[in-house]
Amino acid sequence: MAIATVSSRMLATAEERRTLRQFVQRVVSERGFGPDACDFTFGNPQEPPLRGLVEALIRHAEPRGVHWFAYITHNPVAREAVARSLRQARGRPYQAADIAITAGGFGALAAALLAVLEPGDEVLYPRPGWFLYGGLTRAAGGTPVPVDLVPGSFDLDLGAIAAAIGPRTRVVVVNTPHNPTGRIFPRAQLDALAGLLAEASERHGKVIYLLADEPYARIVFDGHVHISPAESYPHTLVAYSYGKVLLAPGERLGWLALCPDMPEADRVALRDAVELAQMSHGWAFAGQTLQRALPELEGLCIDVTALQRRRDRMVEGLRAAGYEVAVPEGTFYLVPHAPEADDVAFAARLAAGDVWVLPGSVAEMPGRFRISLTATDAMVERALPVFARVMRAVRG
């Protein structure tokens, strides 16, 4: 009898996500979210969407011709809006032709990897880090190679990156501001990484691309400034998502930009490769309504000042309760130390009080837990006494 099988690449990705599945199955499904639940888990919106987002979608959903919803890859107005914004914000000559409009940040990262990887090529990515770098690498036929950040500071470990680079290395992923730690990598580190990649590319006879994952580029605090790795290394592809700044992750809109300092011949080849990657990946272009609305959405953002106040309130309350927690420079996460070794069990204790956090093991940070500050201020105030009570119970 023939035996049905599934892809070993997907099985490997499922194994990476085993902790999350277990938490959802054993805790979330058993307890469920009550009406007063304090949801700090996945960065989902907990308040009404930005009115400008809603109005733009309504306005551009109304057809103005028979071909309003026809096949199209990249809306030229959307591409130019992104290029113009990048030129203004970063002072670099980004071109509309070098912008791919994607189905969110997922789509941007997937298109980049599909465009440059050969089977078995290696992708270095930060650990801890976003949960699907490994899965997207395998889906593109590559081999994922996690490289630990410096413990404590969560800086790039340039020595570890250099040691991990080999003849099959084709991509190095840098996520800044970093999810989940909130670290913004300084220019000195990015410049040093650029020198390292340039030398390794020359030594192995093939360009190593830098994939800059920047969905939190506009969510920075305390006067910090986001610095793109593209400012240091010409062979950089920049991935971006509007899901964070609009707090609308279910509306899949993002882009992939080719660094304007990349040699023109390389950019021309990559333009075609990225578009074909999007086609072969299931027509992974953003929907037409979103693309038409993009020039208006480009100027919208959640209230970062209010988010910073929420961060400060949560840090203050957690520290008063005895938690060890650093202050992030960007993103909308906190990653405190759990007061017991089993972070999944600790998250379950909080869930019993209707406070929901993500166990650190899910984000490759065992012994910690992640709080998403997309929760409301009212949730923060309801949750802080629960955090304090659970801390007392664990210490007791």
Side-chain angles (χ1 to χ4, degrees):
M1 176 183 292
I3 300 175
T5 62
V6 298
S7 166
S8 60
R9 292 174 296 171
M10 297 303 102
L11 289 175
T13 300
E15 180 60 25
E16 285 181 346
R17 306 275 61 80
R18 181 166 55 89
T19 301
L20 175 59
R21 293 200 316 276
Q22 290 176 342
F23 178 68
V24 171
Q25 291 169 358
R26 296 179 183 178
V27 180
V28 177
S29 60
E30 289 178 5
R31 299 186 185 280
F33 283 73
D36 294 324
C38 303
D39 183 4
F40 300 99
T41 50
F42 295 112
N44 277 321
Q46 305 295 336
E47 296 176 301
L50 295 174
R51 192 61 207 167
L53 166 64
V54 176
E55 291 172 351
L57 294 180
I58 292 172
R59 183 161 46 250
H60 291 283
E62 183 63 36
R64 301 174 194 172
V66 295
H67 299 300
W68 199 248
F69 300 119
Y71 278 116
I72 187 171
T73 54
H74 305 297
N75 185 304
V77 176
R79 298 175 99 177
E80 177 54 36
V82 172
R84 181 171 57 251
S85 179
L86 286 170
R87 289 193 296 266
Q88 293 172 349
R90 305 189 181 188
R92 313 295 298 169
Y94 282 87
Q95 300 180 29
D98 291 332
I99 307 296
I101 309 300
T102 63
F106 280 78
L109 295 169
L113 295 173
L114 284 164
V116 303
L117 291 182
E118 297 288 352
D121 281 351
E122 295 177 349
V123 176
L124 278 55
Y125 64 91
R127 183 171 60 190
W130 184 59
F131 76 100
L132 207 55
Y133 289 134
L136 289 180
T137 297
R138 293 189 193 91
T143 301
V145 180
V147 179
D148 291 333
L149 298 173
V150 176
S153 69
F154 298 112
D155 284 321
L156 296 172
D157 191 332
L158 297 171
I161 294 172
I165 290 176
R168 296 308 304 269
T169 303
R170 290 295 168 264
V171 176
V172 173
V173 177
V174 172
N175 171 215
T176 182
H178 178 256
N179 172 11
T181 68
R183 179 69 168 127
I184 298 175
F185 300 125
R187 182 178 295 279
Q189 289 184 32
L190 298 176
D191 287 347
L193 176 63
L196 188 160
L197 295 183
E199 187 278 328
S201 296
E202 186 68 25
R203 175 161 33 95
H204 294 297
K206 194 170 184 179
V207 166
I208 298 173
Y209 290 96
L210 198 159
L211 180 51
D213 186 18
E214 304 181 6
Y216 301 94
R218 300 183 190 182
I219 304 177
V220 297
F221 307 127
D222 303 317
H224 289 289
V225 177
H226 165 258
I227 302 169
S228 174
E231 297 177 24
S232 300
Y233 188 65
H235 282 90
T236 297
L237 297 87
V238 182
Y240 182 77
S241 168
Y242 290 92
K244 311 304 181 185
V245 292
L246 301 178
L247 259 190
E251 297 294 329
R252 307 305 301 158
L253 180 63
W255 48 256
L256 182 73
L258 309 182
C259 176
D261 298 329
M262 192 184 302
E264 184 177 4
D266 294 350
R267 285 188 287 112
V268 169
L270 272 174
R271 291 171 191 167
D272 291 339
V274 168
E275 185 164 306
L276 290 170
Q278 290 181 269
M279 290 181 179
S280 65
H281 203 56
W283 200 261
F285 303 94
Q288 286 309 295
T289 300
L290 287 166
Q291 291 207 42
R292 290 191 184 94
L294 187 149
E296 297 170 46
L297 303 181
E298 176 62 28
L300 297 178
C301 184
I302 57 175
D303 189 339
V304 177
T305 301
L307 195 63
Q308 180 174 317
R309 286 197 300 267
R310 190 175 301 149
R311 177 206 65 175
D312 294 343
R313 174 67 181 121
M314 181 64 91
V315 169
E316 174 191 41
L318 290 173
R319 287 178 172 174
Y323 290 88
E324 181 184 345
V325 54
V327 179
E329 299 167 323
T331 77
F332 42 57
Y333 304 112
L334 297 174
V335 283
H337 287 273
E340 57 184 311
D342 188 341
D343 53 81
V344 176
F346 175 73
R349 288 178 184 266
L350 291 172
D354 230 2
V355 171
W356 300 84
V357 300
L358 199 66
S361 299
V362 172
E364 299 175 306
M365 299 185 77
R368 294 176 181 256
F369 60 99
R370 194 188 76 174
I371 291 172
S372 174
L373 296 169
T374 58
T376 65
D377 292 338
M379 289 180 182
V380 170
E381 296 305 325
R382 292 201 305 272
L384 285 174
V386 178
F387 280 111
R389 185 170 68 248
V390 171
M391 172 63 83
R392 290 194 297 270
V394 171
R395 284 178 169 175

